[in-house]
Amino acid sequence: MSTILEKIAAIESEMARTQKNKATSAHLGLLKAKLAKLRRELISPKGGGGGAGEQGFEVAKTGDARVGFVGFPSVGKSTLLSNLAGVYSEVAAYEFTTLTTVPGCIKYKGAKIQLLDLPGIIEGAKDGKGRGRQVIAVARTCNLIFMVLDCLKPLGHKKLLEHELEGFGIRLNKKPPNIYFKRKDKGGVNLNSMVPQSELDADMVKTILSEYKIHNADITLRYDATSDDLIDVIEGNRIYIPCIYLLNKIDQISIEELDVIYKIPHCVPISAHHRWNFDDLLEKMWEYLQLVRIYTKPKGQLPDYSSPIVLNSERTTIQDFCNKLHRSIAKEFKYALVWGSSVKHQPQKVGIDHVLNDEDVVQIVKKV
C-alpha cells in the first residue's frame, strides 16, 4: 500500500511544481489520469477482500432515504444525531468519541429518513488514515451528506473534507459531466465538440485515453469540459451526492458573523446543543433529498394521508409506485385513477407510464 501512496505523493508534488499553461496542459492531463488510476487502486485494492479488522462500519439500509454525517472529530455530529433522532450516540469533550457508525431514524413529512453518525474523518482519510476508507465507503451509499463544521474554525475544514471525499470519487453538489463516451473495437479516437473547448483538445484527449490503454472510442463534449471531467467519465465510478454544510456552534459567534455565514451556498447555521435552527435544516434536507410522496386510495374509501408511499424524484411513474407497493401489482395492472397536480382532470384515468407529482393520490384498478 505504501508504494501506491508514495506514487500518489510523487505525482501530486510534480503537479504542484508544473506551471499551468498551454504547453504543459497535456502533461498535466496525463498526470491527473495516472492519479485517478492510483486512487481507484486505493479504494478497491486488487486481490482479496478486507480483513476482519475492517468490519462494523456498514449499517443495513432502512427507510426512504439515507443521510450521512461527515466531519472532523468533535464538531458535534453525535449531539446533532441525539437531538434530531433521539438516539444516544456517545458524546464527550474529547476527540474520536464515536468509533463506529451510529444509526438513527426520523420521520419527516411522512417519510422515514435514516441518519448515520459516521466516525470523525482526519486529514489523509482517503489514503486510509484513521480507518477513513471505511468511513467514506459508507458515505458513498448516502442520498445526502450533512458536512458538520465548527463555525469557530475557518472554512479551511470544508476544503479539507471536500478534498478527502473527492479523492474517494464523491462529487458534492455536482451533476455528472455531460460527456458521451463509448469504447469501440476499431476506428481510432473520434472526438466531437458541440461548443468551443478552453482546455481539452484532440491531443490531450488522446494522451489521457492512452494512459487507460484506450485507442478506439467515440467522445462527444457537450459543454466546455475539463480534463478532470473526462477522467471522471472514463473511470465511471464517481458518485454525485448533494451536500448541506452545517455550521455548528452558532451560539458562540456574533449576529454579524452569522449574517456572513448565511451567504455561503448550501449552508445552514445551527446549534446542535441548543437545537437552534433545526426547522430550517429539516426543510433544506427535504428540498435536497427530492422525495415524492404518493397517497394510496382504496376503492370506495378516503385516501390514506398518514403513511405515503415515498419515491425517488427520478423514478415516479405509476410502475415505480406499483413496484414499491408489491412486485405483483404491475402484472395485474389495468389502469390507475389519479388525483393531483400531475393530471388535468380530477380524477383522471392513466396508464402505467404516467409520471406522478408530489402529493398525488392514486387508486390502482387491477384486471379482473
Side-chain angles (χ1 to χ4, degrees), residues 293-312:
R293 293 158 296 173
I294 308 297
Y295 302 109
T296 54
K297 183 188 177 303
K299 194 177 178 184
Q301 295 176 33
L302 288 169
D304 177 13
Y305 289 115
S306 61
S307 50
I309 302 297
V310 180
L311 303 174
N312 185 305

Side-chain angles (χ1 to χ4, degrees), residues 24-30 32 199-209 226-227 230:
T24 60
S25 60
H27 178 60
L28 280 169
L30 182 67
K32 284 176 181 174
E199 186 180 329
L200 289 175
D201 56 23
D203 290 339
M204 190 167 181
V205 169
K206 280 177 182 168
T207 306
I208 291 171
L209 288 175
T226 65
S227 53
L230 179 61

Side-chain angles (χ1 to χ4, degrees), residues 167-187:
F168 241 76
I170 296 176
R171 303 287 178 262
L172 301 176
N173 296 325
K174 286 182 185 172
K175 292 270 184 284
N178 195 359
I179 296 174
Y180 172 78
F181 169 73
K182 190 171 186 234
R183 293 186 189 216
K184 301 185 296 187
D185 295 330
K186 56 187 178 185

Side-chain angles (χ1 to χ4, degrees), residues 181-184 188-191 209 214-219:
F181 169 73
K182 190 171 186 234
R183 293 186 189 216
K184 301 185 296 187
V189 174
N190 181 21
L191 176 66
L209 288 175
I214 299 170
H215 305 294
N216 304 292
D218 285 333
I219 295 171

Side-chain angles (χ1 to χ4, degrees), residues 72 147 149-162 245-248 260-265 267:
F72 282 115
M147 191 178 285
L149 303 162
D150 188 333
C151 70
L152 291 172
K153 290 173 185 162
L155 289 174
H157 269 196
K158 172 174 173 276
K159 234 182 187 135
L160 285 169
L161 281 167
E162 283 173 344
Y245 302 102
L246 307 188
L247 287 172
N248 191 20
V260 173
I261 281 172
Y262 245 117
K263 289 174 183 157
I264 302 165
C267 165

Side-chain angles (χ1 to χ4, degrees), residues 40-271:
R40 176 164 26 108
E41 278 183 49
L42 209 56
I43 295 169
S44 47
K46 293 169 186 169
E54 295 201 351
Q55 292 173 354
F57 270 63
E58 184 51 281
V59 172
K61 210 166 186 174
T62 60
D64 302 304
R66 173 180 260 201
V67 178
F69 296 6
V70 170
F72 282 115
S74 290
V75 288
K77 299 189 297 297
S78 300
T79 309
L80 181 62
L81 181 75
S82 301
N83 287 340
L84 266 180
V87 172
Y88 181 69
S89 179
E90 197 175 333
V91 178
Y94 55 84
E95 299 195 336
F96 296 107
T97 322
T98 305
L99 295 171
T100 183
T101 304
V102 180
C105 190
I106 56 167
K107 202 164 183 191
Y108 187 68
K109 296 194 178 183
K112 284 189 186 131
I113 294 157
Q114 185 183 37
L115 306 175
L116 296 181
D117 175 15
L118 300 172
I121 286 179
I122 58 171
E123 214 176 327
K126 65 181 183 306
D127 305 326
K129 282 188 191 168
R131 296 184 77 188
R133 293 231 308 277
Q134 296 99 294
V135 175
I136 302 179
V138 178
R140 278 175 70 96
T141 67
C142 296
N143 305 98
L144 173 66
I145 286 177
F146 279 175
M147 191 178 285
V148 188
L149 303 162
D150 188 333
C151 70
L152 291 172
K153 290 173 185 162
L155 289 174
H157 269 196
K158 172 174 173 276
K159 234 182 187 135
L160 285 169
L161 281 167
E162 283 173 344
H163 183 63
E164 296 301 325
L165 295 174
E166 288 255 328
F168 241 76
I170 296 176
R171 303 287 178 262
L172 301 176
N173 296 325
K174 286 182 185 172
K175 292 270 184 284
N178 195 359
I179 296 174
Y180 172 78
F181 169 73
K182 190 171 186 234
R183 293 186 189 216
K184 301 185 296 187
D185 295 330
K186 56 187 178 185
V189 174
N190 181 21
L191 176 66
N192 293 312
S193 300
M194 291 187 169
V195 295
Q197 299 293 318
S198 56
E199 186 180 329
L200 289 175
D201 56 23
D203 290 339
M204 190 167 181
V205 169
K206 280 177 182 168
T207 306
I208 291 171
L209 288 175
S210 66
E211 176 58 32
Y212 286 93
K213 297 183 173 59
I214 299 170
H215 305 294
N216 304 292
D218 285 333
I219 295 171
T220 304
L221 305 172
R222 300 193 179 105
Y223 69 111
D224 186 7
T226 65
S227 53
D228 291 322
D229 296 337
L230 179 61
I231 290 165
D232 281 356
V233 171
I234 297 168
E235 283 281 336
N237 62 352
R238 305 303 190 232
I239 289 188
Y240 299 84
I241 306 177
C243 174
I244 298 174
Y245 302 102
L246 307 188
L247 287 172
N248 191 20
K249 307 183 184 177
I250 54 168
D251 49 315
Q252 299 175 21
I253 60 169
S254 66
I255 293 287
E256 289 77 23
E257 287 171 307
L258 190 57
D259 286 341
V260 173
I261 281 172
Y262 245 117
K263 289 174 183 157
I264 302 165
H266 312 293
C267 165
V268 179
I270 58 158
S271 169

